[in-house]
Amino acid sequence: MQLNTQIIPMEEEMTIRQISETLGVSRRTIQIFESNQLITSCGITKYGHLLYDASTVRRIAVIRFFQNLGMSLKEIRTFITADRVERHDIYRNTLNSFHAKMLNDQNLYQTAETIDSLISLPDFIDRIFQTVSSVHKERKQP
């Protein structure tokens, strides 16, 4: 999982709609980030649309990155306001949790594959039995 902030214009202020289109984040998600005090607007257009600067847009990308790692908004807020040492610990713990989830998902996938093969096992055994039976019948016939 990679955080890609290269697609974010660096100098331009953006509306919620522009951010939504650029980052693939819903308008409602951006509003939730603002209501949780994770971001703030920097101005307003003459049409009444909120504006966000490039650093806020990058912060939205970072928030989404951490959400994809499994962090809650409360954990992200703690991370953002923490000092460097605390941020390092939070990030390390989050990565460990994410790694454990990936391993669990991999185990679930392997279990599902095993179940699929076990489900098809009776059909496989039936085919073997039919083959053996037909071979056995052929040998009995003169």
Side-chain angles (χ1 to χ4, degrees), residues 15 43-51:
T15 64
I44 194 164
T45 68
K46 65 181 179 180
Y47 302 107
H49 299 134
L50 295 174
L51 290 171

Side-chain angles (χ1 to χ4, degrees), residues 107-122:
N107 289 337
L108 289 173
Y109 178 76
Q110 290 171 344
T111 301
E113 283 184 331
T114 302
I115 289 170
D116 284 346
S117 39
L118 289 174
I119 288 171
S120 63
L121 189 59

Side-chain angles (χ1 to χ4, degrees), residues 29 48 55 63 74 85-87 98 134:
T29 297
S55 66
I63 291 167
K74 182 179 178 183
V85 173
E86 289 174 311
R87 275 196 307 271
F98 183 73
S134 66

Side-chain angles (χ1 to χ4, degrees), residues 6 10 39 46-47 55 64 80 83 91 107 113 117 119 122 131:
Q6 294 177 346
M10 292 298 143
I39 62 171
K46 65 181 179 180
Y47 302 107
S55 66
R64 293 298 294 157
I80 289 172
D83 66 31
Y91 188 64
N107 289 337
E113 283 184 331
S117 39
I119 288 171
T131 304

Side-chain angles (χ1 to χ4, degrees), residues 14-70:
M14 299 174 74
T15 64
I16 287 180
R17 180 179 181 191
Q18 291 168 318
I19 295 168
S20 181
E21 291 170 355
T22 302
L23 298 180
V25 177
S26 74
R27 296 166 60 103
R28 181 70 185 129
T29 297
I30 296 167
Q31 292 167 340
I32 289 170
F33 291 170
E34 189 151 21
S35 69
N36 280 277
Q37 300 172 344
L38 292 167
I39 62 171
T40 56
S41 62
C42 67
I44 194 164
T45 68
K46 65 181 179 180
Y47 302 107
H49 299 134
L50 295 174
L51 290 171
Y52 300 88
D53 61 20
S55 66
T56 301
V57 177
R58 282 191 299 275
R59 179 176 272 201
I60 292 168
V62 169
I63 291 167
R64 293 298 294 157
F65 173 77
F66 285 125
Q67 282 184 313
N68 289 332
L69 286 178

Side-chain angles (χ1 to χ4, degrees), residues 78-108:
T78 301
F79 178 83
I80 289 172
T81 60
D83 66 31
R84 187 170 185 243
V85 173
E86 289 174 311
R87 275 196 307 271
H88 177 73
D89 290 342
I90 293 168
Y91 188 64
R92 185 171 25 98
N93 291 338
T94 300
L95 287 179
N96 288 338
S97 296
F98 183 73
H99 181 73
K101 183 186 178 312
M102 285 179 54
L103 291 175
N104 186 47
D105 289 351
Q106 183 179 11
N107 289 337
L108 289 173

